[in-house]
């Protein structure tokens, strides 16, 4: 089964890492949990859970504002988390790392602040057809507000985007391209470095949605030359409610703040306010400082596991699952790009994705069904939705076997 693949690369000890994730020991309906919904959110290792517990138990105090010891320690942890993120994504400066509530919040911040500063009536924004609603709707809203045009970069039947099409779409009025690093439905890994190189020739800024990309290999924002890169902590083994917006200093320094409140100000009178420096200008109100420390713990943990090794292993799982699922009669995989992350969407002839999902659930297999917040992507294929299995490094070939067996059963039960 998996042996051919197992022998081809250095062994990766998923079983060992599974022990770091308490939730993976639990059962559902009396069966071992097979968690294949990592595209929606990943599970958290003890290192993250313990960081959060220690913070609440030992340190908790609001950051940046207090003179007292706990506040100083809290602030130190928070700013250390920023530096951890900076190093992880290889940002040039810590102040290019803004903490947000998640990828969605980061993208909305750019749509508002960049949009206010740089987008005028008649300008154009390009989005790809495979965007998550989070990297589509904010741009539609911006275009509506500003009287700008939204142009769509369409993908082909394999789920790939062509650079030639992008070149043809960009014009003198194009201000920004919003593009996902990795499609959460098709699994396509977009060639971001090539895309930004082309966009920059035309003077177009690039907003990269890194919600899925952040866990797929090493992300180096300087090498990608992304103008903005947004991601969520919960998709990379960190807590919910925390995320990051990376932005190049050259943009952030020219953008107005989006939200007003505490921490983002320098001086305030009843008439007038001056704003704080980066990154605080974009961090109004009490930040999720404990979430930030949890995220830093997750990044440290993932680095210790080995980002490249984990990604290579996930790719083997993907290949194995693809082989096995393809062998099932009437099953069609949606998204067959050459470069794919460990995400598989599929449909079965005569079986509604929702029914497959329900039956799989009863067998302990957690997958996602529906349009995965990418309605235009599933519309492209004329489908009501897909079943999506998405893998993490703690998944095993035996779990792929469970998935395949459950999918076969689902078909037998519904036909
Ligand atoms: N973009 C992509 C590609 C995603 O997969 C997701 C989460 N499904 C998001 C954006 C939004 O992330 P969040 O809900 O954590 O803000």
């Amino acid at each position: 089964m998996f042996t051919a693949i197992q022998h081809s690369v250095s062994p990766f000890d998923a079983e060992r890492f599974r022990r770091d994730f308490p939730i993976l020991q639990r059962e559902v309906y009396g069966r071992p949990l097979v968690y294949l919904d990592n595209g929606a959110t990943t599970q958290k290792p003890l290192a993250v859970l313990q960081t959060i517990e220690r913070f609440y138990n030992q340190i908790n105090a609001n950051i940046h504002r207090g003179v007292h010891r706990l506040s100083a320690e809290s602030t130190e942890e928070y700013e250390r988390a920023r530096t951890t993120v900076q190093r992880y994504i290889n940002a040039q400066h810590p102040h290019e790392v803004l903490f947000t509530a998640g990828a969605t919040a980061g993208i909305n911040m750019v749509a508002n602040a960049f949009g206010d500063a740089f987008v005028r009536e008649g300008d154009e924004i390009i989005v790809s057809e495979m965007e998550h609603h989070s990297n589509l709707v904010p741009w539609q809203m911006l275009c509506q507000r500003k009287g700008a045009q939204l142009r769509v970069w369409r993908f082909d039947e394999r789920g790939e985007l062509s650079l030639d099409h992008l070149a043809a779409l960009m014009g003198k009025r194009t201000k920004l391209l919003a593009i996902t690093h990795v499609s959460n439905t098709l699994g396509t890994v977009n060639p971001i470095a090539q895309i930004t190189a082309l966009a920059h020739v035309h003077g177009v800024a690039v907003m990269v949605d890194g919600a899925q990309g952040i866990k797929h290999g090493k992300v180096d924002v300087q090498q990608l030359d992304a103008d903005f890169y947004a991601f969520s902590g919960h998709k990379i083994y960190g807590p919910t409610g925390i995320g990051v917006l990376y932005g190049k200093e050259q943009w952030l320094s020219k953008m107005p703040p989006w939200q007003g409140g505490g921490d983002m100000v320098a001086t305030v009178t009843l008439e007038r306010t001056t704003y704080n420096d980066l990154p605080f200008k974009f961090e109004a109100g009490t930040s999720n400082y404990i979430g930030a420390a949890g995220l830093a713990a997750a990044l440290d943990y993932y680095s210790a596991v080995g980002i490249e090794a984990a990604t290579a292993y996930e790719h083997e799982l993907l290949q194995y699952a693809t082989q096995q699922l393809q062998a099932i009669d009437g099953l069609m995989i949606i998204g067959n790009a050459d470069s794919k992350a460990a995400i598989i969407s599929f449909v079965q002839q005569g079986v509604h994705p929702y029914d497959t999902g329900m039956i799989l659930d009863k067998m302990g297999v957690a997958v996602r069904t529906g349009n995965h917040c990418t309605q235009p992507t599933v519309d492209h294929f004329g489908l009501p939705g897909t079943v999506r299995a998405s893998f993490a490094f703690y998944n095993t070939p035996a779990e792929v076997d469970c998935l395949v067996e459950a999918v076969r059963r689902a078909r037998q039960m519904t036909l």
Side-chain angles (χ1 to χ4, degrees):
M1 292 216 264
F2 199 62
T3 41
I5 302 163
Q6 239 173 3
H7 286 278
S8 64
V9 285
S10 58
F12 180 86
D13 196 354
E15 290 295 348
R16 187 185 120 213
F17 296 122
R18 285 179 76 79
R19 293 197 281 276
D20 296 335
F21 293 79
I23 203 170
L24 298 179
Q25 321 308 322
R26 73 160 281 185
E27 297 188 337
V28 287
Y29 312 114
R31 292 165 185 265
L33 168 69
V34 176
Y35 186 77
L36 301 179
D37 195 16
N38 296 286
T41 199
T42 52
Q43 300 303 347
K44 320 303 169 201
L46 273 170
V48 169
L49 304 176
Q50 285 164 352
T51 297
I52 294 168
E53 196 182 4
R54 181 185 62 91
F55 209 133
Y56 276 116
N57 281 338
Q58 306 279 327
I59 306 176
N60 180 43
N62 208 332
I63 52 168
H64 293 149
R65 292 162 205 180
V67 290
H68 62 82
R69 175 67 189 257
L70 291 192
S71 179
E73 285 182 20
S74 246
T75 305
E76 217 173 277
E77 296 272 349
Y78 181 64
E79 292 306 329
R80 192 177 314 136
R82 196 188 306 277
T83 313
T84 302
V85 175
Q86 179 211 348
R87 288 209 197 99
Y88 190 89
I89 61 173
N90 192 31
Q92 205 176 350
H93 307 290
H95 58 253
E96 293 178 321
V97 172
L98 312 179
F99 283 116
T100 64
T104 304
I107 295 165
N108 275 278
M109 190 193 293
V110 179
N112 281 273
F114 180 96
D116 267 4
F118 301 112
V119 179
R120 307 268 167 274
E121 191 175 342
D123 283 345
E124 292 172 1
I125 304 285
I126 301 176
V127 294
S128 94
E129 189 187 6
M130 65 173 76
E131 296 312 306
H132 187 281
H133 298 161
S134 290
N135 201 27
L136 169 60
V137 180
W139 304 111
Q140 290 175 338
M141 291 163 72
L142 170 66
C143 286
Q144 254 173 14
R145 266 198 320 276
K146 293 283 186 153
Q149 299 293 317
L150 193 75
R151 308 199 67 189
V152 179
W153 183 13
R154 299 197 184 273
F155 60 78
D156 65 18
E157 288 314 290
R158 293 164 60 79
E160 288 181 334
L161 292 159
S162 134
L163 290 174
D164 290 344
H165 289 169
L166 175 61
L169 274 176
M170 286 186 294
K172 284 197 174 56
R173 302 295 306 261
T174 313
K175 287 291 181 302
L176 181 138
L177 162 68
I179 177 74
T180 193
H181 190 173
V182 171
S183 159
N184 62 309
T185 299
L186 306 171
T188 309
V189 181
N190 288 314
I192 297 298
Q194 283 169 267
I195 292 170
T196 55
L198 180 59
H200 291 158
V201 169
H202 291 79
V204 174
V206 183
M207 164 86 242
V208 182
D209 174 355
Q212 301 293 333
I214 191 66
K215 125 178 197 315
H216 180 76
K218 183 88 188 91
V219 168
D220 178 332
V221 289
Q222 293 190 68
Q223 185 262 325
L224 295 176
D225 203 16
D227 297 282
F228 302 99
Y229 192 99
F231 65 93
S232 300
H234 71 96
K235 298 210 197 250
I236 183 161
Y237 314 106
T240 51
I242 184 76
V244 167
L245 173 69
Y246 158 80
K248 281 185 186 168
E249 185 189 62
Q250 70 184 80
W251 289 118
L252 294 180
S253 59
K254 292 188 199 110
M255 282 157 49
W258 177 34
Q259 291 179 322
D263 246 20
M264 52 75 73
V265 293
T267 59
V268 181
T269 65
L270 287 176
E271 292 76 31
R272 211 176 146 262
T273 293
T274 57
Y275 303 122
N276 205 339
D277 296 329
L278 287 176
F280 312 112
K281 182 171 91 170
F282 290 105
E283 292 182 356
T286 298
S287 301
N288 184 358
Y289 49 91
I290 300 189
L295 170 58
L299 298 181
D300 285 343
Y301 173 82
Y302 194 36
S303 301
V305 167
I307 303 163
E308 302 297 353
T311 306
Y313 172 76
E314 287 175 13
H315 196 254
E316 289 173 9
L317 289 176
L318 173 74
Q319 282 181 310
Y320 179 56
T322 304
Q323 255 173 34
Q324 299 296 308
L325 286 171
Q326 259 168 352
I328 297 176
D329 226 17
L331 187 143
M332 188 169 71
I333 291 176
I334 308 299
N336 295 289
D338 275 345
S339 181
K340 269 187 80 170
I343 293 170
I344 281 199
S345 272
F346 60 91
V347 287
Q348 283 178 290
Q349 217 169 34
V351 191
H352 195 282
Y354 184 74
D355 293 336
T356 308
M358 292 287 283
I359 295 168
L360 262 58
D361 173 53
K362 294 293 177 290
M363 298 181 196
V365 181
V367 292
R368 191 143 291 245
T369 61
N371 66 34
H372 321 296
C373 297
T374 57
Q375 205 179 322
T377 305
V378 297
D379 283 352
H380 177 111
F381 296 95
L383 294 168
T386 72
V387 181
R388 183 188 73 184
S390 46
F391 303 97
F393 64 82
Y394 45 61
N395 291 126
T396 63
E399 289 183 313
V400 173
D401 292 339
C402 283
L403 167 72
V404 172
E405 173 58 22
V407 170
R408 281 189 198 280
R409 289 250 219 99
R411 183 164 158 82
Q412 283 157 9
M413 286 166 76
T414 47
L415 287 185

